[in-house]
Amino acid sequence: MTLITEVRLRKVLDSRGNPTVEADVSTESGGFGRASAPSGASTGEYEAIELPVDEAIANARELAVPRLEGQVYAGDQRSVDQLLHEADGTDDFGEIGANSAVAISMAAAKAGADMLGAPLYQHLGGTFRGSTYPTPLGNVIGGGEHASGGTDIQEFLSVPVGAPSVSDAVHANAAVHGEVRDRLSEQGVAAEKGDEGAWAPPIADSEAFEIMAEATETVGDEMGFTIEIGLDVAASELFDGDQYQYADDARTTDEQIDYVADLVKEYDLVYVEDPLDENDYAGFAELTSKVGEQTLICGDDLFVTNTDRLEDGIERGAANSILVKPNQIGTLTDAFDAVELAVENGYAPVISHRSGETEDTTIAHLAVATAAPYIKTGAVGGERTAKLNELIRIETNV
Ligand SMILES: C=C(OP(=O)(O)O)C(=O)O
Ligand SMILES: [Mg+2]
């Protein structure tokens, strides 16, 4: 039986060295699941609330844990997540914190899988899932909120669209990361790494595009398949309420739309996340109508994994893809619902990590469980490779 008998919460470290919430869920017949909450830096205005960790843990212990222990089955994910919502009582997890909620939600799913003796992706997605794997989007050059002194565009992503397997794709992204390092050092550019392990060199975005084009082509030729380029512009961080402020330029909304549309054409971009401010549905719709046939226009801060915001986007034709971050919305059920609504409406779901991460691998399973076409979880670094290696394990064990 998967009746939850105990929920334990503790404070652990994330990859930035900040405290975060870890949850352990135990069930009546000995099932066990452990999960921890990630944390964003370039967070969307409409995300569920991440409370200070001590507060999140204390409030969840008081309000949520007594409603879960002895009351609900870990295998019944919708009921677990419904109880988390009821215990919280707000619509943004403002009482127990989305950090406590998501850790408990994911730990319960793992306890349910443990009792069933099934891999997590199979428990979440059903027995017919496990034969479709996501293409990993690998962050190899970046800046923005993830590294001071780096590029204006937050993430330049390696996208190994032609890779014959997840394993090849994961190794390709790591190779592109290495190729970028070699090119930067040939040019005498010293680069630190940002929060997600991407190089954060003090170069102009235009130079980053050139290095990306060369590095993806070199590695693609070596590995024998096509590697394209994607971006997370994280444009809300550039928008000052009037214009998009770049180091050497300022762009109006119309200019930003033209700039991104030109980049899509010039660099054959296959993926562009948050090209416009998180409140600009109209701008997203205009850009999507211009280049949506050629590329994915993905809403991260725009949609914040929230089905209400996604419905608004669908109505207006804003974007054709959604980033799915479970901690933006607080439970796996809500994340699943966002994926389903997206797929029903032809929007590509992209399962994603946060810039602050832990060794937790739930998102790798979520991507396989939902047959999501893409996962964004970095290219190198232990908390990133935890997910990438889990994908390889899932692929090679079936
Ligand atoms: C992963 C991202 O960064 P953060 O976690 O800082 O929001 C992102 O913006 O897509
Ligand atoms: Mg983003």
Side-chain angles (χ1 to χ4, degrees), residues 47-381:
E47 293 196 17
I49 305 293
E50 179 186 319
L51 288 179
V53 173
D54 289 329
E55 195 181 333
I57 289 177
N59 292 1
R61 277 185 185 142
E62 185 195 333
L63 299 171
V65 172
R67 286 177 176 248
L68 294 165
E69 289 178 344
Q71 310 285 325
V72 66
Y73 293 87
D76 181 0
Q77 191 68 38
R78 278 198 186 272
S79 294
V80 171
D81 293 341
Q82 178 64 29
L83 276 181
L84 286 169
H85 277 292
E86 286 169 15
D88 179 81
T90 71
D91 56 10
D92 58 6
F93 280 114
E95 282 295 322
I96 65 168
N99 35 351
S100 277
V102 81
I104 295 170
S105 177
M106 298 193 303
K110 289 183 187 181
D114 188 31
M115 270 318 296
L116 294 169
L120 180 58
Y121 74 81
Q122 213 172 72
H123 167 46
L124 295 175
T127 193
F128 296 109
R129 284 286 155 79
S131 54
T132 301
Y133 302 100
T135 297
L137 306 174
N139 185 3
V140 294
I141 303 180
E145 291 296 298
H146 293 170
S148 59
T151 50
D152 287 330
I153 290 176
Q154 181 179 282
E155 300 167 24
F156 289 80
L157 302 158
S158 167
V159 191
V161 290
S165 68
V166 165
S167 176
D168 287 307
V170 166
H171 286 98
N173 285 349
V176 172
H177 188 271
E179 188 67 29
V180 166
R181 175 200 54 218
D182 293 348
R183 283 173 188 273
L184 289 170
S185 92
E186 271 163 29
Q187 294 174 19
V189 179
E192 313 248 317
K193 284 184 190 169
D195 285 350
E196 296 181 358
W199 300 110
I203 59 176
D205 289 7
S206 56
E207 294 172 273
F209 276 110
E210 293 310 318
I211 292 174
M212 284 300 294
E214 289 167 14
T216 49
E217 196 181 334
T218 302
V219 174
D221 287 349
E222 274 165 21
M223 297 192 75
F225 52 78
T226 305
I227 305 175
E228 303 284 12
I229 303 173
L231 302 177
D232 181 0
V233 181
S236 295
E237 305 294 343
L238 301 173
F239 193 58
D240 66 5
D242 183 33
Q243 293 198 313
Y244 293 87
Q245 299 293 343
Y246 291 79
D248 52 4
D249 217 345
R251 297 184 170 89
T252 64
T253 295
D254 285 345
E255 287 167 350
Q256 175 78 355
I257 290 170
D258 290 344
Y259 172 60
V260 174
D262 288 347
L263 290 175
V264 168
K265 286 171 196 144
E266 188 170 353
Y267 294 102
D268 289 325
L269 303 179
V270 293
Y271 177 83
V272 184
E273 183 181 321
D274 282 351
L276 291 148
D277 180 62
E278 60 203 333
N279 292 302
D280 193 0
Y281 282 97
F284 266 86
E286 193 181 333
L287 181 63
T288 307
S289 76
K290 279 193 172 190
V291 294
E293 297 283 312
Q294 289 143 265
T295 194
L296 291 178
I297 300 294
C298 182
D300 170 15
D301 294 346
L302 179 72
F303 295 138
V304 292
T305 317
N306 181 315
T307 50
D308 292 341
R309 290 187 65 83
L310 178 58
E311 264 167 20
D312 287 348
I314 291 164
E315 248 170 52
R316 301 182 206 195
N320 55 15
S321 172
I322 178 177
L323 208 69
V324 175
K325 293 167 164 170
N327 83 317
Q328 271 182 335
I329 194 71
T331 72
L332 277 179
T333 298
D334 291 293
F336 254 80
D337 289 348
V339 170
E340 279 187 358
L341 181 64
V343 171
E344 278 162 19
N345 288 279
Y347 278 50
V350 179
I351 312 299
S352 175
H353 66 169
R354 302 306 307 249
S355 49
E357 265 296 339
T358 71
E359 313 86 286
D360 195 282
T361 60
T362 304
I363 59 165
H365 287 269
L366 180 59
V368 176
T370 56
Y374 296 95
I375 186 169
K376 189 173 85 155
T377 187
V380 298

